[in-house]
Amino acid sequence: MIEELLVAGGSLAAVGAVYLSAAVRVVKQYERGVVFRLGRLRAPAREPGLTLIVPAVDRLRKVNMQIVTLPVPAQEGITRDNVTVRVDAVVYFRVVDAADAIVRVEDYRFAVSQMAQTSLRSIIGKSDLDDLLSNREKLNQGLELMIDSPAVGWGVQIDRVEIKDVSLPESMKRSMARQAEAARDRRARVINADAELQASKKLAEAAQQMADTPSALQLRLLQTVVAVAAEKNSTLVLPFPVELLRFLERAAQPQVSGAVQPVSRPTAVGPPPTATAPGEGASESILQRLRDLAEHPQGAQEWHR
């Protein structure tokens, strides 16, 4: 009798262990368990931890609640300004209602992927090429709204949508490169012209200042000589300004002695001059007479006779 009871107890223990092994389920922290009892949804969803179901009656489906990164295949389309492009994107979404994600849509991942591809094609057709290249933030927001609207009913929330890359045809790339080069060339020419204008104004002011102060021109010449001599050149070509000759001529005129003034005749200059003593005064006198003869050619002919 005791042996039969022990056998029966062992059998019950074995059946209980088998039942528990079939009824016990473990739901992870990032998951939720959706239970169907004879095909009918049992709400609410099972929380993380150890949970029990009725074997052969209940069916437990686990739903991942983590954020899912879904790459969107590259879509080829024509923009609003008739440019053919290939655009690919990435969608970040997560399940917020495990029951709706299982009951309302057959495969929520596939549904989100198809909706993302369709929305991306729609965005390409409604946008210009410049918007796709430079105004992606606004396009990302519009794409997120287009995908999130139907996904709300699936128990899915779209966290973020990003356009990864925009591929252009080679001919369009060359055209854009030529356009950018022409724009840079135009800006460079405008900058050079502006610099020339400013430099010309400054040079005009400097020329006016030097005209008011002749000695400033001589100082500038000496500065130029110093700058050229600093390069250790063996040959130095120094321009001699005419203004300096005039300045020296005016300075030498008060020192001229024994110069003969031209005779005030209507047709001729006075008699031929007499020679002066050698020296500085004589040379200056000769220069003065030569100037008089150059100014009165008729007097020069009479003096020659």
Side-chain angles (χ1 to χ4, degrees):
M1 185 65 182
I2 296 176
E3 293 180 358
E4 294 178 355
L5 291 176
L6 291 175
V7 172
S11 301
L12 290 175
V15 171
V18 172
Y19 179 83
L20 287 176
S21 62
V24 172
R25 294 289 186 273
V26 176
V27 180
K28 298 180 181 178
Q29 181 65 38
Y30 55 85
E31 294 176 339
R32 297 294 182 272
V34 180
V35 178
F36 293 92
R37 179 165 295 175
L38 298 177
R40 191 179 184 89
L41 178 65
R42 299 287 296 178
R46 302 297 174 88
E47 295 296 327
L50 189 65
T51 184
L52 296 176
I53 61 173
V54 179
V57 176
D58 293 343
R59 182 183 176 187
L60 178 68
R61 293 190 59 179
K62 300 177 182 179
V63 180
N64 194 333
M65 307 296 288
Q66 291 176 314
I67 294 178
V68 180
T69 303
L70 180 66
V72 181
Q75 302 297 312
E76 185 172 355
I78 300 177
T79 61
R80 191 167 56 182
D81 50 353
N82 299 324
V83 178
T84 303
V85 295
R86 284 179 65 89
V87 182
D88 56 350
V90 59
V91 180
Y92 301 91
F93 70 93
R94 62 188 180 91
V95 177
V96 294
D97 192 333
D100 290 342
I102 296 298
V103 175
R104 293 182 178 273
V105 62
E106 179 181 4
D107 188 349
Y108 64 89
R109 289 175 178 265
F110 181 75
V112 172
S113 175
Q114 294 300 313
M115 180 56 64
Q117 296 180 33
T118 305
S119 301
L120 184 58
R121 284 180 173 271
S122 179
I123 284 292
I124 294 174
K126 294 179 181 179
S127 305
D128 295 332
L129 179 60
D130 293 339
D131 294 334
L132 289 175
L133 296 177
S134 60
N135 197 13
R136 293 190 181 182
E137 188 65 29
K138 183 178 179 181
L139 296 180
N140 291 338
Q141 295 177 0
L143 189 58
E144 180 180 347
L145 290 175
M146 294 179 65
I147 302 175
D148 190 58
S149 297
V152 172
W154 304 337
V156 177
Q157 180 181 354
I158 306 299
D159 284 349
R160 191 169 185 176
V161 181
E162 292 287 344
I163 295 177
K164 293 198 301 184
D165 187 25
V166 179
S167 300
L168 300 175
E170 292 298 329
S171 59
M172 180 58 63
K173 291 181 180 179
R174 291 193 294 268
S175 299
M176 293 177 66
R178 289 195 298 268
Q179 179 184 0
E181 184 179 359
R184 289 193 297 269
D185 189 16
R186 179 180 63 85
R187 289 196 298 268
R189 292 185 178 183
V190 170
I191 293 173
N192 289 334
D194 191 13
E196 291 293 338
L197 177 60
Q198 295 179 7
S200 62
K201 291 181 180 180
K202 294 298 182 181
L203 289 175
E205 294 177 2
Q208 183 65 33
Q209 186 68 24
M210 289 182 180
D212 296 340
T213 309
S215 60
L217 182 61
Q218 180 65 16
L219 294 176
R220 186 71 183 99
L221 176 61
L222 296 176
Q223 291 177 358
T224 304
V225 172
V226 172
V228 173
E231 298 296 333
K232 299 181 180 180
N233 294 325
S234 59
T235 303
L236 178 61
V237 178
L238 179 63
F240 204 71
V242 180
E243 289 79 1
L244 182 58
L245 293 176
R246 294 175 181 174
F247 175 75
L248 296 176
E249 182 181 357
R250 289 195 299 268
Q253 283 181 359
Q255 301 177 2
V256 175
S257 61
V260 179
Q261 300 295 332
V263 180
S264 57
R265 292 183 181 181
T267 60
V269 183
T274 59
T276 59
E280 183 180 359
S283 62
E284 294 294 339
S285 177
I286 293 172
L287 290 175
Q288 182 65 31
R289 291 174 186 177
L290 290 176
R291 294 192 191 96
D292 295 338
L293 291 176
E295 294 177 357
H296 302 282
Q298 295 178 358
Q301 294 176 3
E302 183 179 353
W303 177 78
H304 179 69
R305 290 197 297 269

